[in-house]
Amino acid sequence: MSVFEHSEYDGHEHVAFCQDKATGLKAIIAVHNSNLGNALGGCRMWPYGSDEEALRDVLRLSKGMTYKAAMAGLKQGGGKAVIIGDPRTEKTVEKMLAMGKFIDSLSGQYISAEDSGLTVDDLKMMGKKTEYVSGIQAKYHINSEPADGNPAPSTAYGVFVGLKTSVKHAMNSELKGVKVAIQGLGHVGIRLAKHLHKEGAQLYVTDIHPENIEKAVSEFAATAVKPEDIYDLDVDVFAPCAMGAILDAENIFKLKAKVIAGAANNQLAKEEFGQLLVGKGILYAPDYVINAGGIIDIYHQSISSSDQALINHINKIGDTLLEIYQRAQTQGIATNIVANQIAEERFS
Ligand code: NAD
């Protein structure tokens, strides 16, 4: 396997292959770009089928973090770590401690947060061996909700701010009476539903777990929809808050919404589908811009700032989206491409 020639390598500054024989830990830490500051990004544990699969994932994810941090106005670079293994059966305290040591060996070049397969407790375990972990302290209150280090309340608030800005831009409307379809009512989606309900939006919701739907129906007067019907609704906004790659040609063809604004990562099945959305007159809020509330929260935890400083920073997601929309309009190109351009200008 060639690393420097890898199709996802993209000039990564540092890629560390970490093995601890005693605990069986195998991990890769990738630092994509540190022009704006030390790299911040989550550590994921996943049962990768091969080392190549793990390498591809970490390189792709750490590059994504460079773009996300730049667009969130953070003085941070992009990085990510992956631990190879099944988090349900192969995770041990000893492996977490060993991972903490490896992170520490990079002397702060990479600061780790939580990602799929790991919990705040796992991160705290790593934190026994390194100071370079963030997202483990209950510090912030987003709209009176305490965050326990979990960034979801901040992510949901950021998506709400971005959705509101996008509706204003595309429809010249406030949220009262605006119809929003939410796909996925997990940590982020259910909180987004709460914000939107408070502002008078009319909600249509789906999830694969009925209990999540019941909560939104009873607490936020939402209308329940089957998962397969969510793309066909006659709504103003589609808010994907479940999985990635849902914006494929088939689903884009079905959508009637004027705005797409949601938390899910990697929403576009292919980058060029951004242009399909332009063709259909749908305003797309680039995913890594609108869902940056979580990384902004983690950054603020690392600098120990105040609730208000965090909220002020998350509110800027709206301004960043407007900058993207204006440039996209002037240049006649898709918003996802403009977001990439602006990010590259900021971190290059
Ligand atoms: P989550 O796992 O808590 O929630 C996802 C929800 O989607 C679950 O309730 C799940 O049942 C539902 N779901 C899965 N498949 C579905 C389907 N086919 N149709 C309808 N619903 C389905 O995750 P989360 O933390 O709420 O994150 C949501 C998305 O936002 C993910 O893509 C995540 O990567 C992204 N994101 C999350 C954060 C964060 O702070 N949690 C930050 C940035 C991006």
Side-chain angles (χ1 to χ4, degrees):
M1 172 174 52
S2 163
V3 178
F4 291 112
E5 301 305 318
H6 197 286
S7 59
E8 302 286 348
Y9 195 75
D10 193 61
H12 264 75
E13 287 176 13
H14 194 132
V15 180
F17 292 82
C18 314
Q19 181 174 25
D20 182 62
K21 278 196 176 161
T23 62
L25 174 79
K26 275 189 181 172
I28 310 175
I29 302 173
V31 172
H32 176 251
N33 186 294
S34 62
N35 286 352
L36 294 176
N38 289 338
L40 177 65
C43 177
R44 170 175 290 193
M45 184 165 187
W46 193 254
Y48 294 102
S50 64
D51 297 353
E52 155 64 20
E53 216 183 278
L55 178 65
R56 178 172 296 279
D57 203 34
V58 77
L59 292 175
R60 215 175 38 83
L61 291 167
S62 76
K63 177 182 173 185
M65 288 308 299
T66 302
Y67 284 71
K68 183 181 268 204
M71 291 309 276
L74 300 177
K75 294 188 188 80
Q76 301 278 178
K80 205 88 181 180
V82 297
I83 297 175
I84 300 171
D86 188 332
R88 288 167 305 174
T89 55
E90 294 177 81
K91 198 192 314 177
T92 61
V93 165
E94 291 73 23
K95 279 184 184 165
M96 295 303 112
L97 294 170
M99 188 65 194
K101 272 197 206 169
F102 281 122
I103 291 169
D104 202 60
S105 71
L106 297 182
S107 309
Q109 242 191 98
Y110 167 68
I111 301 161
S112 189
E114 176 202 345
D115 202 292
S116 317
L118 293 189
T119 63
V120 170
D121 281 344
D122 296 327
L123 213 59
K124 283 183 178 166
M125 201 53 69
M126 291 181 196
K128 289 185 188 288
K129 297 291 176 188
T130 180
E131 63 185 282
Y132 303 116
V133 291
S134 189
I136 55 174
Q137 287 168 46
K139 275 196 185 135
Y140 295 114
H141 291 80
I142 295 287
N143 296 5
S144 329
E145 184 185 9
D148 60 355
N150 167 4
S154 294
T155 303
Y157 177 63
V159 174
F160 166 69
V161 168
L163 190 153
K164 195 173 168 171
T165 304
S166 305
V167 165
K168 183 85 188 157
H169 184 79
M171 300 167 57
N172 194 23
S173 166
E174 302 305 324
L175 289 175
K176 196 167 171 40
V178 165
K179 293 179 185 169
V180 183
I182 305 179
Q183 180 184 48
L185 296 163
H187 291 105
V188 179
I190 198 73
R191 291 177 166 97
L192 174 65
K194 187 176 180 182
H195 287 299
L196 293 171
H197 175 62
K198 225 168 135 190
E199 293 259 326
Q202 205 177 319
L203 304 180
Y204 297 79
V205 298
T206 195
D207 198 288
I208 48 174
H209 295 302
E211 63 276 16
N212 294 355
I213 298 185
E214 279 155 28
K215 184 176 162 69
V217 169
S218 64
E219 293 184 22
F220 312 129
T223 303
V225 179
K226 286 189 193 140
E228 60 274 23
D229 294 338
I230 197 77
Y231 304 104
D232 300 297
L233 300 178
D234 194 2
V235 291
D236 302 300
V237 182
F238 174 54
C241 297
M243 60 283 176
I246 32 83
L247 297 176
D248 59 18
E250 192 184 336
N251 291 337
I252 289 173
F253 178 74
K254 290 183 197 165
L255 286 176
K256 298 184 185 76
K258 300 170 194 75
V259 170
I260 298 173
N265 280 313
N266 303 320
Q267 293 171 23
L268 291 165
K270 291 182 186 165
E271 282 277 320
E272 58 262 36
F273 288 165
Q275 200 55 43
L276 265 187
L277 294 172
V278 175
K280 277 201 73 171
I282 299 175
L283 184 68
Y284 170 63
D287 44 18
Y288 67 84
V289 179
I290 194 170
N291 74 14
I295 195 75
I296 293 172
D297 182 316
I298 285 163
Y299 171 76
H300 277 262
Q301 287 184 46
S302 75
I303 58 167
S304 302
S305 66
S306 65
D307 286 8
Q308 199 51 52
L310 170 66
I311 288 168
N312 292 346
H313 197 150
I314 296 176
N315 282 336
K316 289 187 183 153
I317 288 176
D319 304 332
T320 307
L321 286 173
L322 276 184
E323 183 185 348
I324 293 169
Y325 297 157
Q326 276 149 9
R327 207 196 274 197
Q329 242 167 356
T330 314
Q331 298 183 359
I333 47 177
T335 53
N336 57 310
I337 302 299
V338 172
N340 291 348
Q341 282 175 358
I342 298 177
E344 283 159 14
E345 287 161 17
R346 290 185 182 181
F347 72 73
S348 292

